Amino acid sequence: MKHIHLGTLDVGRIGLGAMGMSSAYTGAGTDDAESIRAIHRALDLGVTLIDTAEIYGPFTNEELVGQAIKDRRDDVVLATKFGFVSHAGGGPWNLDSSPANIRAAIEGSLSRLGTDHVDLYYQHRVDPNTPIEDTVGALAELVAEGKVLHIGLSEAGPDTIRRAHAVHPITALQSEYSLWTRDPEPKVLPVLRELGIGLVAYSPLGRGFLTGAIHSTDDFADNDGRKDNPRFTGENFERNLRAVDEVKAIAAEVGATPAQVALAWVLAQGDDIAPIPGTKRAVRVEENTAADSIELSPEQIDKLTNVTPAVGDHHNEQQMRMIER
């Protein structure tokens, strides 16, 4: 697999998002053995960046990833996140990026992951109650101690990115980015490139929509996070299928799957962008990583860039309020 740099961090340019192995999607947590096979297959195919977070589960996804990589730690650029669990009593889904909470979070993550350091440690969402300078200052201390090698942010806006980077170099911003989620392009990507910060693109397949395999939400479990995602709801769902048809048409030209074409488009946007498609199945890992070898023509890239825009926000209303723009 080709490699790129996120800041100074070398990674295979397609990573693996592990969240869906343990939470958020239908079937999560039902087959840990297959999830571990998927992680091993990813590493065999040249994937290095494995992405998890303490909130996934909560906690169980880090445990799963830790089990999967225990004999292959040196092959992995291990990324996890803090800030969606308040360890002072608030518990999961409470934003807390205070220095004391970061200290509690990193110790828990290191224990669950079975390692003495995290390669890339992200603030999961910006905490409005803690100055970003205080948060990054605490993270810089962890870097000095060797418990964290690189610092990241997630869904932070330009001003926060600049302020954070002034305290300690930020290696990567994780943000949703795909054919039909282009929010980082106008303001965030220029700042990242000015400062030499990489972009890690989560949900590069639109939570599975852009694979062309989802024709109905009827089979989603009640706890599937897509149940209240506006793009999967009501008339929006039917209208968004038009974009999928356009991706399928390009895929037929290329001789690839829609998922591979969607990933190839993200890869074509720059050598400072690493998509992390999520899956819990080894066969999907094989499909996704094969996008590394797909070359789209300028005309195909242009068509995909101008694909019919998605209808509906890419998160529910509560989640959208936690994204800086």
Side-chain angles (χ1 to χ4, degrees):
M1 180 181 292
K2 300 180 186 72
H3 278 229
I4 63 166
H5 281 90
L6 304 169
T8 59
L9 181 62
D10 180 278
V11 296
R13 66 174 183 160
I14 299 175
L16 175 62
M19 179 187 75
M21 298 176 180
S22 305
S23 63
Y25 293 123
T26 300
T30 60
D31 193 346
D32 285 353
E34 176 60 17
S35 294
I36 290 172
R37 280 192 291 273
I39 293 172
H40 289 171
R41 188 63 181 135
L43 297 176
D44 291 341
L45 292 170
V47 170
T48 61
L49 181 60
I50 306 293
D51 185 89
T52 182
E54 64 174 359
I55 193 60
Y56 300 159
F59 309 124
T60 54
N61 193 242
E62 285 186 324
E63 293 170 352
L64 176 69
V65 170
Q67 182 181 353
I69 68 170
K70 61 183 178 182
D71 296 322
R72 304 187 66 172
R73 179 65 181 91
D74 291 344
D75 299 332
V76 179
V77 176
L78 182 58
T80 192
K81 312 177 199 72
F82 69 91
F84 248 139
V85 180
S86 175
H87 296 278
W93 305 112
N94 285 283
L95 294 178
D96 188 348
S97 287
S98 64
N101 200 63
I102 292 170
R103 283 281 174 185
I106 189 62
E107 296 303 331
S109 289
L110 292 175
S111 176
R112 288 184 292 272
L113 292 164
T115 186
D116 62 357
H117 71 279
V118 171
D119 298 291
L120 179 55
Y121 200 38
Y122 295 101
Q123 180 191 42
H124 208 150
R125 289 293 185 272
V126 176
D127 175 8
N129 297 314
T130 305
I132 193 66
E133 291 82 0
D134 293 352
T135 296
V136 178
L139 292 170
E141 293 177 2
L142 297 181
V143 172
E145 294 167 19
K147 294 180 178 180
V148 170
L149 302 189
H150 298 267
I151 296 172
L153 304 173
S154 182
E155 296 290 16
D159 180 62
T160 298
I161 295 167
R162 289 186 184 281
R163 290 167 54 200
H165 194 70
V167 176
H168 186 280
I170 301 299
T171 292
L173 175 79
Q174 186 172 140
S175 191
E176 184 164 351
Y177 186 55
S178 70
L179 281 172
W180 68 348
T181 302
R182 312 284 277 283
D183 302 39
E185 290 181 348
K187 297 181 180 179
V188 171
L189 262 176
V191 171
L192 297 183
R193 286 171 170 160
E194 174 193 336
L195 300 176
I197 299 170
L199 175 66
V200 174
Y202 76 83
S203 294
L205 299 178
R207 295 173 179 79
F209 211 123
L210 295 173
T211 67
I214 299 174
H215 305 288
S216 168
T217 60
D218 292 344
D219 294 331
F220 289 171
D222 290 341
N223 63 350
D224 192 308
R226 294 169 291 189
K227 279 283 191 178
D228 66 349
N229 185 296
R231 294 186 178 177
F232 288 80
T233 305
E235 292 183 359
N236 288 357
F237 182 89
E238 297 301 325
R239 294 171 66 185
N240 285 329
L241 288 175
R242 299 174 195 169
V244 177
D245 288 339
E246 294 168 28
V247 177
K248 286 181 177 178
I250 301 296
E253 292 179 12
V254 177
T257 68
Q260 291 168 340
V261 165
L263 290 171
W265 179 87
V266 174
L267 295 173
Q269 302 313 301
D271 60 4
D272 53 357
I273 300 176
I276 50 168
T279 183
K280 54 184 178 293
R281 298 171 59 191
V283 66
R284 291 290 171 250
V285 167
E286 293 170 352
E287 176 184 357
N288 293 340
T289 54
D292 179 52
S293 62
I294 292 175
E295 295 290 340
L296 299 171
S297 71
E299 294 77 17
Q300 290 165 339
I301 292 172
D302 185 63
K303 287 181 182 178
L304 291 165
T305 299
N306 293 290
V307 73
T308 298
V311 181
D313 282 334
H314 53 99
H315 285 291
N316 65 31
E317 183 179 350
Q318 180 183 7
Q319 293 167 332
M320 289 299 294
R321 286 198 295 266
M322 288 186 281
I323 294 175
E324 290 193 340
R325 305 187 194 184

